[in-house]
Amino acid sequence: MSDFFFQLHPVIQGLIKGLAVIAVIFPIAGICSMAERKVSAWIQGRPGPNRAIPFWFAWVPVLGPFLQRLGIFHVMADGGKMLFKEDSLPGHVNKFYFILAPIVAMMPALTTVTAVPFGAYFDPAGRTIPLGLAPVDVGLLAVFAVSSLGVYSLILAGWASNSKYPFLGGVRASAQLISYELSLTLSVIPVFLWINAPGTEGTMSLARAVEFQSQPGFLGGTWFIFLMPVSALVFLISLFAETNRLPFDMAEGEADLVGGFHTEYGAFKWGLFFVAEYSHMLIGSGIFTLLFLGGWNPLPWLSLGQFAALLHVAHLPLAVGVLSIVIFLGKVLAMIFFFMWVRWTVPRFRYDQVMKLGWQKLLPLAIANLLFYAIAIAVIQK
Amino acid sequence: MDAHPYAFLALFAAIAVAFPVILLSVAQLWFRFFQPAKPSADKGAAYECGVTPTGDSWIQFKAHYYLYAILFLIFDVELLFLLPFAVAFTGLSAGALATMLVFIFLLAEGLVWAWHRGHLEWK
């Protein structure tokens, strides 16, 4: 089976992988939307969505009511509604850019997935082979470069809508995104200062970051969140801002901008923005997991290799691969739960507070952090 | 057989663009044949909380956004030079390290200048 796959033309292989990613990202985004409603209900002490059920499924004895209470069918109802409701094109919009904006939103959201490794297995020689779509050497740099294109979709949507609230939302959101991008990039540099130890090739690869957190010994097995807590904190806060999540919900800002940049959108075009936002969250959580939470290592000081040996599956590449993907996805989903938890716990910032936090607190903190680690690592290694 | 890794990135970008385009056009076909659009003056109006839109939609907004954009541009270009520094860090001599520290100092100094001039204050 796998031989057959690798004999195909690379372009066809790529197409299959691409469709696989879309087939994974879209349901996860849908499930995240349901989880978001359920988690918010849970935090606010109400039942949440628990009504929708297709009549033919109501006859299934135990499973039917259980899935109904879980709200699974609301996702399908929402998806169906998104596809089939009238896709009205308001008369006042700039049609070309109005349609282009959601497509531009999807582009970075789906492309960045390629550079994120999501698991690993061991080949017979005992080396770790990361599982990823494109083994890009510059890993993180590619992710940053492509994901920063996402700002164009916001500003295009806001501008093309030719309406007051979307325009303000788009301008605000783009200023916010570019402000926090600086802290985001600065906060990961100490990690790569640490990784690029003497005797190793210089790299920006995310898989190498995980490898560094799965070495034997106390310092080798330490996750970077313990080694560089300030970096992790700055990265996390910037991630919230970059994904437009509350408390940095300036792009949408329901309270003062109605729906922000996507006020004039509806039906499937709105759905594309929505999926793009969730896949940004997924990828951001994935990068945070890889850089600071040990990637596919189950616990600090317990690497994937040791864990697989404990379970007596270290010699089975398939089992180790599945195990690593499960651990990695588990951490990513835990991060997404954290996103939702914060959303329903912390109140929104005002715009001036957002800018103040980004430029006057996080950016100096990130620069000081970088200086500290640059000097500390230089002193240790000299 | 081994394709260039970036070729895959490019292919994937193409898929990422083609996918929404195809879905949107399929949706358009569906609407054309099964669910014809029913436009109305109210539906096509700009949304302003349900009341009739007033005035021009090209409103004034703060020029301050541009200041942030310019500051971002400066810092972002400088950041780009820090990444190769991080990759080549341990192979560097003490002199190169000191040069890099001066560079980071210049970065910080730019921030201090903008701060001092009040450009970072949202007014």
Side-chain angles (χ1 to χ4, degrees), chain A residues 168 171-172 175 351, chain B residues 61-70 122:
Chain A
L168 280 177
V171 174
R172 273 189 186 189
Y351 197 68
Chain B
F61 66 98
K62 281 174 184 280
H64 217 80
Y65 290 110
Y66 283 116
L67 273 182
Y68 281 115
I70 292 168
W122 182 258

Side-chain angles (χ1 to χ4, degrees), chain A residues 357-379:
Chain A
L357 180 66
W359 285 95
Q360 303 189 359
K361 302 231 162 67
L362 286 188
L363 192 57
L365 187 64
I367 293 176
N369 182 47
L370 171 65
L371 273 179
F372 172 77
Y373 279 103
I375 295 170
I377 294 169
V379 166

Side-chain angles (χ1 to χ4, degrees), chain A residues 132-148:
Chain A
L133 290 168
V136 188
D137 209 25
V138 291
L140 191 63
L141 200 55
V143 174
F144 280 164
V146 178
S147 69
S148 56

Side-chain angles (χ1 to χ4, degrees), chain A residues 6-11 13-15 17-18 21-22 26 83-88 90-92 99 102-103 106-107 110-111 114-115 133-138 141-142 146 159 162-165 167-168 171-172 175 178-179 181-182 185-186 189 192-193 196-198 202-204 258 263-264 268-269 272 351-352 355 359-361 363-364 367 370-371 373-375 377-378 381-382, chain B residues 1-3 5-6 8-21 23-24 27-28 30-31 35-40 43-49 53-62 65 67-77 79-80 82-94 97 100-101 104-105 107-108 111 115 118-123:
Chain A
F6 288 113
Q7 276 159 14
L8 291 170
H9 192 268
V11 173
Q13 278 187 34
L15 282 177
K17 284 179 180 170
V21 166
I22 289 168
F26 264 68
L83 281 174
F84 292 120
K85 83 186 252 194
E86 183 186 338
D87 193 3
S88 68
H92 52 87
I99 297 171
I103 297 169
M106 280 307 280
M107 206 281 285
L110 287 181
T111 311
T114 54
L133 290 168
V136 188
D137 209 25
V138 291
L141 200 55
V146 178
W159 182 80
N162 198 6
S163 173
K164 287 169 200 153
Y165 293 121
F167 181 64
L168 280 177
V171 174
R172 273 189 186 189
I178 58 176
S179 301
E181 208 177 293
L182 297 174
T185 317
L186 269 174
I189 291 178
F192 286 97
L193 289 180
N196 292 307
T203 180
M204 289 289 285
V258 190
T263 303
E264 298 286 346
F268 198 71
K269 290 204 269 299
L272 288 177
Y351 197 68
D352 62 322
M355 288 322 234
W359 285 95
Q360 303 189 359
K361 302 231 162 67
L363 192 57
I367 293 176
L370 171 65
L371 273 179
Y373 279 103
I375 295 170
I377 294 169
Q381 287 171 354
K382 280 283 142 56
Chain B
M1 201 63 208
D2 275 351
Y6 296 98
F8 186 66
L9 212 61
L11 176 70
F12 215 87
I15 293 175
V17 173
F19 175 69
V21 170
L23 272 184
L24 283 177
Q28 275 310 311
W30 171 271
F31 292 133
Q35 246 177 306
K38 300 183 188 69
S40 73
K43 217 188 262 180
Y47 183 75
E48 283 181 20
C49 306
T54 51
D56 195 10
S57 61
W58 291 110
I59 45 169
Q60 293 186 337
F61 66 98
K62 281 174 184 280
Y65 290 110
L67 273 182
Y68 281 115
I70 292 168
L71 277 177
F72 162 75
L73 207 62
I74 299 166
F75 280 101
D76 206 38
V77 171
L79 265 183
L80 216 59
L82 282 177
L83 290 169
F85 160 66
V87 171
F89 179 57
T90 46
L92 294 180
S93 60
L97 191 65
M100 215 56 218
L101 286 182
I104 297 176
F105 172 74
L107 183 84
L111 184 68
W115 197 331
H119 292 329
L120 300 183
E121 293 290 338
W122 182 258
K123 290 183 284 273

Side-chain angles (χ1 to χ4, degrees), chain A residues 171-207:
Chain A
V171 174
R172 273 189 186 189
S174 44
Q176 175 195 326
L177 285 193
I178 58 176
S179 301
Y180 281 82
E181 208 177 293
L182 297 174
S183 318
L184 193 77
T185 317
L186 269 174
S187 67
V188 297
I189 291 178
V191 174
F192 286 97
L193 289 180
W194 185 263
I195 288 174
N196 292 307
T200 56
E201 281 178 64
T203 180
M204 289 289 285
S205 146
L206 287 160

